[in-house]
Amino acid sequence: LRSPDGGDAPPAVMAEAQLTAGKLRLQVNAFLIMAPDGNVLIDTGSSNAWRATTGRIYDALEEAGVARTAIMTIAITHTHVDHINGLVMPDGTVAFPAAEAICVPENELQLFAAESRLSPLSSLVRPLKDGGRIGKSITAQAAYGHEIGHTAFLVESKAKRLLVWGDIIHAPEVQFAHPDIAWEFDADPGE
């Protein structure tokens, strides 16, 4: 975590952080939207490309009784390893073989293409603009700052709404009380 001037967050602020074995514990989440017009998975974790605990999407889907072949569309909030590399299984096979589209924020298409392990999926990539729609119930919303094309997704169903984002808040116990504290890997913490 860093202060607005780019330096480390003050020790008094860091004392508020919930640590595990002396380290900040981060959450890596994915969201399955079961929409009438097809299942949409928002983010995929990292498979075996980062830490063991950030690649458990396959286990979570199995526990929920959802086959990987039931995922028709994948929407990506941003192209960091812990959000996109779950598109490929640890053995190198495609994780979601029935997927028809991978919606990537248009500002991050080059970043996605630079990830060589994802090259077998390039024909599925669809650029997603701010305000772009995925099916009837999901709208992309620019949330720049953490990455150059960072995107949140507004999911609407009748009178209910859910905003799904990835990595806007990393340490809620600190950042809700001190919204000026940013994450050290934010591309533009001022956004």
Side-chain angles (χ1 to χ4, degrees), residues 53-132:
T53 58
T54 62
R56 310 224 16 227
I57 184 70
Y58 321 120
D59 298 334
L61 286 168
E62 184 177 329
E63 184 179 327
V66 177
R68 290 183 289 115
T69 55
I71 308 299
M72 304 313 295
T73 303
I74 296 125
I76 302 298
T77 60
H78 63 293
T79 56
H80 289 172
V81 66
D82 56 324
H83 295 264
I84 62 171
N85 276 305
L87 289 163
V88 176
M89 299 288 291
D91 67 5
T93 60
V94 172
F96 306 100
E100 299 170 351
I102 301 170
C103 302
V104 177
E106 69 176 349
N107 296 3
E108 297 200 22
L109 290 171
Q110 288 183 330
L111 296 171
F112 186 93
E115 191 65 39
S116 62
R117 86 185 252 151
L118 303 179
S119 59
L121 301 166
S122 62
S123 66
L124 298 177
V125 172
R126 307 291 182 266
L128 188 61
K129 294 182 178 196
D130 180 32

Side-chain angles (χ1 to χ4, degrees), residues 3 12 18 22 33 44 48 60 67 81 111 126 138 144 149 183 187:
S3 65
Q18 295 177 6
I33 309 301
T44 66
N48 62 335
V81 66
L111 296 171
R126 307 291 182 266
I138 302 172
Y144 308 148
W183 182 240

